[in-house]
């Protein structure tokens, strides 16, 4: 069977490395043995899988289709092995999770530490990326589930739990405006603004907010990294409009203040826990997901 044959391992390694020589070095077999397997498969399938170029091997369209399927078959077979273990009562599991950057510290990190302590047999694969990348990897079955922002823009996902998180003004805890219950644009006109830049999802919301209220601060800093924006605010370089999600831990620790916007309705960001609709999650994944559902609901 192709998914579990020697050929599949040879083929996948050549596809990854783009070279018979590099694949041979990685697999500790001769390049000629790998080439024989590929030529035999091309003859049996009656199609070319690679273009043989002076500088290496490149997948044909048929080869790309086969490579994608082999990766998917191997991932699903690994899930099957894990389910066999569960039936036999063995303690082995593998859970792959995608996270946006805003969730890579604080409460979510504590949850993963708790899960790891409670289930020392469990392998956790945690990937930090943007929402679009995580969504695609969930659809490709490379991730069991993920935490993304604004899932309505990502087709082919099932939302298991979600929380709506408002936008507000973020400033240092000792700032003169930190005692205000709400803030309006007029109160911010003399402040230096740190604008979240693209591709941050909050960027579009803030830009729309400024346009809607004809608000154009002159002295600005533009930054596309939330962690750096928070460091700049703590250092007294200005204030910013961010999602509550971005500053949860800093607000709890008293380092920053998050103040709602007055008379400036703006659609909140939606944090969603998503998986693929047809995905059968392992028992290990289901255990982890229950912890995360509780955390997401608490955020909301």
């Amino acid at each position: 069977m192709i998914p579990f044959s020697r050929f599949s391992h040879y083929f996948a390694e050549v596809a990854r490395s783009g070279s018979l020589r590099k694949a041979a070095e990685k697999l500790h077999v001769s390049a000629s043995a790998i080439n024989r397997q590929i030529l035999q498969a091309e003859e049996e399938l009656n199609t070319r899988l690679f273009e043989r170029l002076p500088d290496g091997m490149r997948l044909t369209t048929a080869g790309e289709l086969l490579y994608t399927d082999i990766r998917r078959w191997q991932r699903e077979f690994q899930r099957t092995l894990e389910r066999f273990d569960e039936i036999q009562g063995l303690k082995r599991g593998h859970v792959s999770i995608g996270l946006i950057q805003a969730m890579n510290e604080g409460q979510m990190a504590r949850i993963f530490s708790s899960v790891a302590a409670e289930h020392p047999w469990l392998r956790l694969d945690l990937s930090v990326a943007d929402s679009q990348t995580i969504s695609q990897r969930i659809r490709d079955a490379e991730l069991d589930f993920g935490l993304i922002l604004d899932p309505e823009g990502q087709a082919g996902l099932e939302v298991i739990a979600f929380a709506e998180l408002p936008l507000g003004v973020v400033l240092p805890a000792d700032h003169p405006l930190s005692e205000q219950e709400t803030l309006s644009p007029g109160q911010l006109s003399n402040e230096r603004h740190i604008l979240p830049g693209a591709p941050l999802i909050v960027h579009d919301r803030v830009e729309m907010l400024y346009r809607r209220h004809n608000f154009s601060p002159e002295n600005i800093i533009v930054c596309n990294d939330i962690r750096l924006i928070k460091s700049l605010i703590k250092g007294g370089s200005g204030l910013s409009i961010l999602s509550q999600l971005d500053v949860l831990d800093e607000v709890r620790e008293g380092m920053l203040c998050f103040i709602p916007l007055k008379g400036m309705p703006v659609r909140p960001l939606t944090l969603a826990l998503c998986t693929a609709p047809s995905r059968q999650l392992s028992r290990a994944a289901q255990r982890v997901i229950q912890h995360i559902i509780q955390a997401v609901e608490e955020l909301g």
Side-chain angles (χ1 to χ4, degrees):
M1 296 174 66
I2 284 179
F4 318 114
S5 66
R6 180 185 306 158
F7 158 75
S8 70
H9 296 295
Y10 291 176
F11 171 80
E13 191 56 47
V14 174
R16 277 192 291 268
S17 65
S19 164
L20 283 171
R21 180 183 57 79
K22 290 179 182 177
E25 291 173 355
K26 180 74 178 290
L27 297 172
H28 304 291
V29 296
S30 69
S32 60
I34 296 174
N35 194 41
R36 269 197 311 273
Q37 290 279 337
I38 293 173
L39 290 171
Q40 181 179 339
E42 288 179 327
E43 184 177 347
E44 291 178 2
L45 296 171
N46 195 30
T47 187
R48 290 181 63 195
L49 300 174
F50 288 98
E51 292 180 38
R52 287 156 173 82
L53 306 172
D55 58 346
M57 306 274 280
R58 183 171 65 194
L59 287 169
T60 63
T61 301
E64 289 175 354
L65 289 172
L66 181 59
Y67 182 50
T68 299
D69 283 344
I70 283 177
R71 291 174 64 202
R72 177 172 54 81
W73 292 330
Q74 290 174 339
R75 286 193 299 269
E76 292 303 324
F77 182 61
Q78 180 61 38
R79 299 293 185 271
T80 300
L81 292 178
E82 291 169 8
R83 288 195 285 272
F84 286 169
D85 283 349
E86 291 172 359
I87 292 170
Q88 298 172 37
L90 300 177
K91 293 187 173 182
R92 181 177 70 178
H94 173 205
V95 184
S96 54
I97 307 164
L99 305 164
I100 54 171
Q101 187 187 50
M103 305 302 296
N104 68 357
E105 56 186 352
Q107 183 182 15
M108 197 54 60
R110 290 191 290 271
I111 287 172
F112 290 131
S113 294
S114 174
V115 169
E118 186 177 342
H119 307 291
W121 47 268
L122 183 64
R123 170 178 168 173
L124 288 174
D125 282 353
L126 308 176
S127 300
V128 178
D130 59 84
S131 292
Q132 186 173 356
T133 300
I134 293 169
S135 300
Q136 187 59 52
R137 293 189 65 195
I138 292 172
R139 287 191 289 266
D140 291 342
E142 294 179 2
L143 296 172
D144 291 315
F145 52 87
L147 284 160
I148 67 171
L149 290 173
D150 287 356
E152 63 268 21
Q154 305 294 339
L157 297 180
E158 178 181 357
V159 176
I160 301 173
F162 72 93
E164 290 192 336
L165 300 155
L167 271 63
V169 181
V170 179
L171 36 73
D174 58 355
H175 193 282
L177 296 175
S178 63
E179 299 300 322
Q180 300 292 319
E181 292 186 4
T182 60
L183 287 169
S184 65
Q187 292 172 284
L188 308 177
S189 59
N190 294 324
E191 302 291 334
R192 166 170 263 183
H193 288 240
I194 305 170
L195 303 184
L200 296 174
I201 287 184
V202 72
H203 162 77
D204 293 332
R205 298 283 209 289
V206 173
E207 197 172 61
M208 184 186 304
L209 192 66
Y210 281 29
R211 282 201 308 266
R212 185 185 300 169
H213 294 269
N214 294 319
F215 188 52
S216 302
E218 294 182 1
N219 52 338
I220 64 171
I221 299 173
V222 180
C223 180
N224 66 356
D225 183 83
I226 294 294
R227 190 174 296 178
L228 179 53
I229 291 174
K230 292 189 289 189
S231 295
L232 291 169
I233 296 171
K234 291 175 193 173
S237 298
L239 53 78
S240 186
I241 295 177
L242 298 173
S243 161
Q244 190 177 31
L245 174 66
D246 296 320
V247 293
L248 279 174
D249 284 289
E250 288 82 3
V251 170
R252 287 172 179 163
E253 294 166 7
M255 301 166 65
L256 295 174
C257 285
F258 178 87
I259 302 178
L261 295 158
K262 184 195 316 183
M264 297 173 69
V266 61
R267 186 163 58 92
L269 291 179
T270 300
L271 175 70
L273 176 60
C274 299
T275 188
S278 59
R279 187 66 182 267
Q280 294 294 318
L281 294 176
S282 67
R283 187 178 302 174
Q286 292 172 19
R287 289 178 183 175
V288 176
I289 219 168
Q290 288 306 314
H291 289 275
I292 299 178
I293 286 175
Q294 182 179 350
V296 170
E297 291 176 345
E298 287 175 358
L299 285 176

